[in-house]
């Protein structure tokens, strides 16, 4: 990397790196560092030494030493350092928390040579460096449980400075809170911002509890293809790629449904998969194109059974994460205590809008949507219209967990017809905090009916619906061998974690959410600089001085341009021969002519 691309602090750290190596100290040692304790456990298990009687007969705390105290070996990042001459206090952050370390010159340099403290520890180590500490545990005079270091080892040199928050008069400075930076540099976010790591530990608890409940119920976790020849199992726009070995287009899966149902056909009674799905659609606070979903299919069950199972599952997860069946998000307390409300979708629309869609044909629905101020077009069939009306007028109003049930057949091409309500299906979506959390069916296992549903979907595609399903002939063939009555459900893990951790943005619960390309400083090309006479070796100096485009030379005095650019040469001791003022005037004139 060109030194001119680095900040002053980065240059200083690289100089320290080289000086350490010159002293024979490896900044990135390969050997194991045998830690045996963590900060939280040291603090929670600490026991004060018994009091002793001094010469005057008073009871005083016994002085902690290496012989009478617990010895530990810990490692982590140095997040703070206060040097007071021959002694210093370090704030060390490990994977469990933070603990204070007390360092003295004579303890870590017991011999005559004090360079390791005076030079290495005080000058060549930086905030953010990983260090190892061997010492004993004690309580300081101010009452803080700390580690008295007998040995300090550099384990990894940090070349970029961390954005450490500073406080003055109760005001915080240099906070790392810009969402754009936090999501793009999650590794920094995890280090410097409290609570971020806790969110992802809770996410792990959600998935672990989900898996435990399903395993204990006797269901088998499986894996199905991520690359699929047909993107099926949901209505969504897929990501498309190309399989070179077979010379065919392939799709990143939008759902795992059709493969999991094939396994039910094959004799599994209950299967589930926790994995990534991909939908080439928009990004916002509730959607990421790459998301995690759990899908479960159980033979001989229906959607009524699945609602009861889902209630118990989510209540168990909420208790595991929060210690109780409630969570708080957006200032609202949401209870996952079973049972949840169950409400048919057409009843929900009538309840919220006053329109009874059950008695309307497609044209009447379209007019009703327009009357409600909802944008619709002629490509939308009955199912799409109901979906739009519900989404615009109802979905956001269901805060407490609510099962919206009995969707029209046009909205549910993989769902069994309702046993008592013509034109409807045995499907539910679970709404929580105004958003869909789960989608479930009594699965369609009639191969003839399923084929016709696929054909109807293709008609919608012909009308312009780019999310309509295509026919999966192999899945139809599987159904023809016979699939038992089955209920299935898909639960969005990311949204579930949002609810359980009280986060309103999906980006907060994804380690590395999808981001726009990182913006870069626009710069003139080498050819453009050459066109005004600037040699290639001088281009980085112009850039370092703040001149990136030829237009940046406009209205600049030649003397100032020379002082700025040649000042970089002097400051960084680059040893280049400085051009005269007349040369810089030629650059300015040539740039003006090109403009």
């Amino acid at each position: 990397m060109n030194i001119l691309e680095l900040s002053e602090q980065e240059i200083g750290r690289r100089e320290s790196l080289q000086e350490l190596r010159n002293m024979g100290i490896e900044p990135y040692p390969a050997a194991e560092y045998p830690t045996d304790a963590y900060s939280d456990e040291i603090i929670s298990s600490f026991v004060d030494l018994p009091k002793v009687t001094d010469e005057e007969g008073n009871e005083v705390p016994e002085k902690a030493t290496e012989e009478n105290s617990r010895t530990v070996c810990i490692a982590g990042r140095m997040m703070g350092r206060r040097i007071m001459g021959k002694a210093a206090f370090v704030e060390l952050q490990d994977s469990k928390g933070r603990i204070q370390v007390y360092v003295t010159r004579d303890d870590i340099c017991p011999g005559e040579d004090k360079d390791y403290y005076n030079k290495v520890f005080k000058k060549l180590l930086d905030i953010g460096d990983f260090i190892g500490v061997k010492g004993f545990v004690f309580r300081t005079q101010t009452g803080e449980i700390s580690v008295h270091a007998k040995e300090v080892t550099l384990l990894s040199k940090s070349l970029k400075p961390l954005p450490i928050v500073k406080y003055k008069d109760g005001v915080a400075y240099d906070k790392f809170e810009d969402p754009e930076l936090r999501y793009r540099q999650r590794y920094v976010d995890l280090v410097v911002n409290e609570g971020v790591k806790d969110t992802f530990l809770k996410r792990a608890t959600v998935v672990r509890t989900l898996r435990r409940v399903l395993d204990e119920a006797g269901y088998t976790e499986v894996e199905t293809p991520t690359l699929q020849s047909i993107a099926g199992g949901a209505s969504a726009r897929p990501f498309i790629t190309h399989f070179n070995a077979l010379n065919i287009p392939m799709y990143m899966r939008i759902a795992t449904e059709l493969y999991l149902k094939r396994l039910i056909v094959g004799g599994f009674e209950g299967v589930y998969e926790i994995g990534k799905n991909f939908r080439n659609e928009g990004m916002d606070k509730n959607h990421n194109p790459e998301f995690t979903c759990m899908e479960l299919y159980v033979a001989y069950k229906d959607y009524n059974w699945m609602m009861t199972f889902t209630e118990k599952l989510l209540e168990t997860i909420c208790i595991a994460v929060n210690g109780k069946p409630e969570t708080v998000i957006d200032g609202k307390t949401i209870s996952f205590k079973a049972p949840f409300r169950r409400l048919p979708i057409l009843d929900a629309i009538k309840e919220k809008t006053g329109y009874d869609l059950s008695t309307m044909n497609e044209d009447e629905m379209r007019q009703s949507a327009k009357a409600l101020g909802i944008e619709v077009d002629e490509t939308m069939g009955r199912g799409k219209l109901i979906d739009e009306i519900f989404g615009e007028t109802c979905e956001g109003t269901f805060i407490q967990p609510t099962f919206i049930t009995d969707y029209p057949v046009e909205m549910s091409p993989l769902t069994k017809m309702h046993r008592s309500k013509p034109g409807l299906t045995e499907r539910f979506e679970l709404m929580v905090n105004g958003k869909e959390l789960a989608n479930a069916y009594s699965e369609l296992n009639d191969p003839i009916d399923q084929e016709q549903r696929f054909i109807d979907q293709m008609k919608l595609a012909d009308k312009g619906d780019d999310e309509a399903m295509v026919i999966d002939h192999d899945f139809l063939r599987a159904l023809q061998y016979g699939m038992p009555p089955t209920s299935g459900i898909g639960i969005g893990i990311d949204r579930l974690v949002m609810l359980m951790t009280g986060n309103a943005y999906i980006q907060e619960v994804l380690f590395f959410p999808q981001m726009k390309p990182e913006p870069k400083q626009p710069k003139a090309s080498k050819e453009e600089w050459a066109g005004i006479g600037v040699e290639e070796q001088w281009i980085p100096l112009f850039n370092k001085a703040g001149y990136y485009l030829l237009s940046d030379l406009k209205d600049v005095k030649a003397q100032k341009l020379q002082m700025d650019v040649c000042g970089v040469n002097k400051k960084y001791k680059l040893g280049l021969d400085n051009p005269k003022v007349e040369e810089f005037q030629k650059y300015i004139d040539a740039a003006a002519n090109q403009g």
Side-chain angles (χ1 to χ4, degrees):
M1 176 178 287
N2 191 313
I3 191 173
L4 298 183
E5 298 177 12
L6 303 175
S7 68
E8 297 297 320
Q9 288 193 59
E10 289 174 302
I11 292 171
R13 289 182 179 226
R14 288 174 186 244
E15 290 173 348
S16 295
L17 177 77
Q18 187 57 51
E19 195 164 350
L20 286 164
R21 286 186 165 139
N22 293 341
M23 294 177 66
I25 298 172
E26 173 52 55
Y28 305 102
E32 172 193 6
Y33 192 79
T35 58
D36 58 16
Y38 292 102
S39 57
D40 62 341
E41 179 271 327
I42 292 173
I43 294 170
S44 64
S45 64
F46 179 79
V47 177
D48 283 303
L49 292 171
K51 292 186 177 181
V52 296
T53 303
D54 64 12
E55 295 178 355
E56 299 177 357
N58 299 316
E59 283 195 341
V60 296
E62 182 179 358
K63 183 178 179 180
T65 66
E66 195 171 3
E67 288 71 31
N68 65 10
S69 303
R70 177 188 175 188
T71 60
V72 296
C73 181
I74 59 176
R77 269 188 203 274
M78 185 166 65
M79 298 298 290
R81 177 177 53 184
R82 289 178 290 126
I83 297 175
M84 298 165 290
K86 298 177 183 179
F89 285 100
V90 166
E91 186 176 20
L92 185 124
Q93 177 174 296
D94 63 13
S95 63
K96 305 293 185 181
R98 294 189 180 190
I99 192 167
Q100 180 173 267
V101 177
Y102 177 60
V103 181
T104 71
R105 184 194 68 182
D106 294 338
D107 278 319
I108 67 171
C109 301
E112 293 296 321
D113 184 357
K114 306 299 182 183
D115 273 359
Y116 196 84
Y117 179 82
N118 292 333
K119 189 171 184 180
V120 175
F121 177 78
K122 291 174 65 174
K123 298 178 180 179
L124 301 182
L125 296 190
D126 293 290
I127 302 302
D129 288 354
F130 280 90
I131 59 173
V133 174
K134 293 180 181 178
F136 61 90
V137 186
F138 76 112
R139 188 188 294 274
T140 66
Q141 291 182 351
T142 60
E144 185 167 354
I145 298 167
S146 307
V147 175
H148 187 132
K150 301 297 288 185
E151 181 182 309
V152 175
T153 304
L154 174 61
L155 300 178
S156 181
K157 184 81 183 129
S158 171
L159 297 184
K160 278 187 173 292
L162 289 168
I164 302 298
V165 180
K166 303 178 183 67
Y167 294 91
K168 184 177 181 180
D169 300 327
V171 180
Y173 296 91
D174 299 328
K175 295 177 73 175
F176 191 68
E177 56 185 5
D178 181 349
E180 175 82 10
L181 286 175
R182 288 184 53 236
Y183 303 152
R184 197 179 296 282
Q185 299 180 36
R186 181 68 82 190
Y187 37 87
V188 177
D189 189 32
L190 288 164
V191 173
V192 303
N193 286 328
E194 292 185 10
V196 175
K197 185 176 181 180
D198 187 56
T199 292
F200 292 99
L201 292 174
K202 288 182 176 180
R203 181 184 178 111
T205 299
V206 168
V207 175
R208 183 169 56 250
T209 306
L210 173 64
R211 184 173 274 116
R212 174 177 59 80
V213 172
L214 297 178
D215 288 345
E216 289 177 354
Y219 308 137
T220 303
E221 184 174 10
V222 299
E223 294 177 294
T224 61
T226 301
L227 280 176
Q228 301 180 353
S229 57
I230 293 175
S235 297
R237 186 182 304 153
F239 285 94
I240 305 174
T241 185
H242 188 80
F243 197 142
N244 290 336
L246 298 177
N247 193 28
I248 57 173
M250 296 290 283
Y251 304 90
M252 301 294 287
R253 70 182 179 198
I254 59 176
T256 56
E257 177 169 347
L258 300 187
Y259 280 97
L260 293 176
K261 287 182 180 178
R262 286 171 168 91
L263 297 181
I264 298 296
V265 171
F268 283 90
E269 191 160 319
V271 292
Y272 73 93
E273 182 168 8
I274 302 172
K276 296 286 189 180
N277 291 340
F278 306 85
R279 298 183 183 179
N280 199 357
E281 298 168 345
M283 295 189 297
D284 57 32
K285 60 184 262 185
N286 295 296
H287 297 87
N288 195 65
E290 175 186 356
F291 63 98
T292 305
C293 187
M294 186 285 298
E295 289 199 41
L296 165 71
Y297 293 84
V298 185
Y300 314 116
K301 309 298 184 184
D302 66 2
Y303 81 141
N304 293 311
W305 175 89
M306 188 62 81
M307 279 188 264
T308 302
F309 182 84
T310 302
E311 291 169 339
K312 295 176 181 176
L313 172 66
L314 296 181
E315 183 177 358
T316 300
I317 291 173
C318 192
I319 292 172
V321 174
N322 297 304
K324 55 186 179 180
E326 292 85 35
T327 185
V328 177
I329 186 169
D330 296 333
K332 297 166 287 193
T333 299
I334 295 175
S335 174
F336 282 95
K337 182 72 176 176
F340 304 161
R341 185 187 184 195
R342 304 182 182 192
L343 180 66
I345 187 172
L346 296 180
D347 291 355
I349 292 173
K350 184 176 181 181
E351 180 181 286
K352 299 295 181 181
T353 69
Y355 286 88
D356 185 359
L357 302 188
S358 65
T359 63
M360 298 183 185
N361 59 33
E362 187 175 304
D363 288 335
E364 290 169 334
M365 285 186 187
R366 190 172 287 106
Q367 293 306 313
S368 297
K370 292 178 180 177
L372 291 166
I374 301 170
E375 290 188 13
V376 294
D377 56 51
E378 299 303 316
T379 69
M380 295 182 178
R382 175 184 171 86
K384 193 78 169 179
L385 290 167
I386 293 173
D387 191 28
E388 287 292 317
I389 294 171
F390 177 81
E392 291 294 325
T393 64
C394 304
E395 184 174 317
T397 67
F398 295 105
I399 305 304
Q400 297 303 320
T402 304
F403 291 118
I404 302 299
T405 68
D406 304 344
Y407 283 68
V409 64
E410 296 88 350
M411 297 176 65
S412 314
L414 300 171
T415 312
K416 188 171 280 189
M417 295 294 293
H418 199 285
R419 68 197 75 178
S420 62
K421 299 178 180 179
L424 304 180
T425 60
E426 296 198 346
R427 172 188 176 188
F428 72 78
E429 288 187 339
L430 175 60
M431 300 293 167
V432 187
N433 196 38
K435 294 296 176 184
E436 174 197 345
L437 176 62
N439 188 19
Y441 317 146
S442 292
E443 301 295 338
L444 179 58
N445 60 342
D446 179 341
I448 297 175
D449 189 358
Q450 181 64 84
E451 183 175 15
Q452 185 58 49
R453 303 273 193 96
F454 277 144
I455 292 171
D456 292 341
Q457 284 284 299
M458 294 303 290
K459 292 178 181 177
L460 292 177
D462 292 339
K463 291 175 66 175
D465 188 345
D466 60 2
E467 294 185 350
M469 292 188 193
V470 298
I471 299 177
D472 186 333
H473 292 285
D474 181 70
F475 175 65
L476 289 175
R477 178 169 57 190
L479 286 186
Q480 291 170 20
Y481 282 102
M483 185 177 84
T486 299
S487 183
I489 187 170
I491 297 178
I493 299 299
D494 305 322
R495 288 191 183 177
L496 177 59
V497 175
M498 289 169 64
L499 290 167
M500 295 302 172
T501 60
N503 280 293
Y505 290 83
I506 193 170
Q507 291 81 6
E508 295 288 349
V509 302
L510 301 174
F511 271 129
F512 304 106
Q514 297 295 333
M515 303 288 291
K516 295 179 181 178
E518 191 167 0
K520 294 183 178 181
Q521 172 68 48
K523 297 180 181 181
S525 67
K526 294 177 183 179
E527 292 74 19
E528 289 175 301
W529 284 110
I532 65 169
V534 176
E535 296 180 11
E536 183 175 338
Q537 62 183 342
W538 280 92
I539 296 173
L541 285 77
F542 275 82
N543 293 164
K544 188 69 173 180
Y547 303 99
Y548 299 101
L549 303 171
L550 301 189
S551 58
D552 293 335
L553 305 184
K554 182 181 179 182
D555 299 328
V556 178
K557 299 294 184 181
Q559 291 86 350
K560 180 179 183 342
L561 184 60
Q562 183 198 41
M563 185 169 56
D564 290 343
V565 176
C566 294
V568 174
N569 186 28
K570 180 180 179 181
K571 180 176 181 179
Y572 293 99
K573 302 176 182 178
L574 300 178
L576 300 176
D577 293 331
N578 292 328
K580 295 181 180 180
V581 173
E582 291 79 11
E583 288 297 315
F584 284 97
Q585 186 62 57
K586 291 179 181 178
Y587 302 152
I588 293 170
D589 293 341
N593 291 333
Q594 289 199 8

